[in-house]
Amino acid sequence: MKYLTLAAGVLGASAAWAETPELTVYTYDSFVTEWGPGPAIEEGFEAECGCDLKFVGMGDGAALLARLKLEGARSDADIVLGLDTSLVAAAKETELFAPSGLQADYDLPITWEDEVFVPYDWGYFAFVHGADLSAPAPTDFKALAESDLKIVIQDPRSSTPGLGLLMWVKAAYGDEAPDVWAGLADNVVTVTKGWSEAYGLFLEGEADMVLSYTTSPAYHLIAEEDDSKTAALFDEGHYMQIEVAGKLAGSDQPDLADRFLQYLVSDAAQSVLPTTNWMYPAVTPEGGLPEGFEGMIQPGKALLVPNGDVPALREEALDEWLTALSR
């Protein structure tokens, strides 16, 4: 009887586990770190979905799309979270994504009308530096190029900030972009695959400045009570990034995927993002932004290449970037 009871218990537990639906979300590495938003969002969504939410880190945003293209319709992913406005057109070309049909009262700097991708946070790219900078902070790319300041940037082929930097220079300087990159080449200490590696090198003192976000100093201010980090304000404007998530057309959990996207723009998830992903939320939380965000620099001009123009411009800008940095 003892063994029968034990066997019944084991079978019951196995059946319950088998009935628990699993939702697989591909995302970038920093999202799933212990200090990123992944753990809190996983806990919050699982508390209401009766499911097992599985985040899978796949490097940085551009690498995430490359992995998805490789897997194609055979991908295990139900959701891809971590693409951005520079990758939306390329992602749609794969025909792997399904419309979300989600409507939300977004607080974005632009009107969001895309029916496939759901925005969850946004920000402006910027070069972050310490208060002990050896020279005056540059106020544009040309001043940065003329300085002896050393910078760490990310590879545009694997990283959304890296691709954003290409679009930033192109949007600000157009046909002058090759000359700007030629001037910047000797400022670049190294190019990393993703944001995490670049920011880590900056914190270790390997460079004076790092390509990051205008909101990155909020992390040091709020989490570390350190006000020694700031972002350089560029007169030509700052390039905007809106991060998005999308549902895979081949998902075997389409309803659960829809519930996750809805949760992602809920107050519960949006209130987590400012102090874990250190970006502006797509929907301002009921409690507002955390204290400290009001001190972040505010770009005088927002730059953004239309999504549909990015793929063609990317090839031109990437060639200019590779030519300059290979000399």
Side-chain angles (χ1 to χ4, degrees):
M1 188 64 181
K2 177 180 177 182
Y3 293 107
L4 287 175
T5 302
L6 176 60
V10 170
L11 288 172
S14 298
W17 179 256
E19 292 170 359
T20 302
E22 181 178 283
L23 188 74
T24 301
V25 179
Y26 284 5
T27 187
Y28 46 79
D29 288 342
S30 62
F31 197 90
V32 296
T33 59
E34 61 180 341
W35 44 264
I41 288 179
E42 180 179 356
E43 182 180 0
F45 185 61
E46 287 185 343
E48 66 175 56
C49 73
C51 68
D52 179 20
L53 176 60
K54 182 181 177 183
F55 282 119
V56 182
M58 293 279 181
D60 214 328
L64 185 60
L65 180 58
R67 175 63 178 268
L68 187 65
K69 288 180 176 178
L70 186 65
E71 295 183 351
R74 296 175 290 103
S75 177
D76 292 332
D78 299 294
I79 295 279
V80 172
L81 184 158
L83 305 180
D84 72 354
T85 28
S86 291
L87 293 174
V88 161
K92 284 184 177 179
E93 288 177 356
T94 67
E95 299 182 346
L96 294 172
F97 291 90
S100 72
L102 182 66
Q103 301 290 328
D105 188 14
Y106 297 117
D107 296 303
L108 297 169
I110 62 172
T111 301
W112 190 259
E113 297 177 336
D114 194 286
E115 296 180 350
V116 175
F117 291 101
V118 175
Y120 60 91
D121 66 15
W122 67 280
Y124 296 104
F125 295 117
F127 284 93
V128 173
H129 63 87
D132 56 348
L133 205 60
S134 59
T139 55
D140 57 39
F141 280 105
K142 290 183 177 179
L144 176 57
E146 292 170 359
S147 75
D148 294 326
L149 295 170
K150 300 304 179 187
I151 61 175
V152 181
I153 61 175
Q154 298 88 38
D155 193 324
R157 295 165 293 186
S158 57
S159 161
T160 52
L163 180 55
L165 179 59
L166 288 191
M167 296 297 105
W168 186 3
V169 173
K170 203 67 178 171
Y173 291 97
D175 293 340
E176 289 186 67
D179 295 333
V180 173
W181 277 117
L184 288 171
D186 63 356
N187 298 94
V188 178
V189 172
T190 190
V191 179
T192 63
K193 285 187 176 180
W195 175 88
S196 297
E197 302 97 312
Y199 210 84
L201 288 172
F202 164 67
L203 293 179
E204 291 168 8
E206 297 297 325
D208 300 303
M209 308 179 82
V210 60
L211 176 65
S212 192
Y213 298 88
T214 60
T215 46
S216 297
Y219 162 74
H220 301 284
L221 184 64
I222 296 172
E224 300 179 330
E225 297 183 352
D226 174 8
D227 62 358
S228 67
K229 305 294 189 299
T230 188
L233 184 63
F234 277 19
D235 295 338
E236 65 251 89
H238 289 246
Y239 199 77
M240 186 192 309
Q241 180 190 49
I242 300 173
E243 295 193 298
V244 302
K247 177 178 69 174
L248 274 295
S251 170
D252 59 1
Q253 297 288 346
D255 294 338
L256 193 56
D258 286 339
R259 288 181 63 185
F260 176 77
L261 292 176
Q262 185 69 59
Y263 180 80
L264 195 59
V265 296
S266 70
D267 196 67
Q270 291 289 297
S271 61
V272 165
L273 292 168
T275 53
T276 51
N277 225 28
W278 304 98
M279 298 277 280
Y280 294 111
V283 180
T284 302
E286 294 177 2
L289 293 173
E291 185 176 353
F293 269 72
E294 74 283 357
M296 299 300 103
I297 66 165
Q298 296 298 319
K301 183 179 181 182
L303 304 174
L304 185 66
V305 174
N307 296 348
D309 295 345
V310 172
L313 197 61
R314 174 190 180 278
E315 297 309 311
E316 179 181 324
L318 183 60
D319 183 62
E320 294 166 355
W321 180 81
L322 286 169
T323 299
L325 268 64
S326 63
R327 288 174 179 166

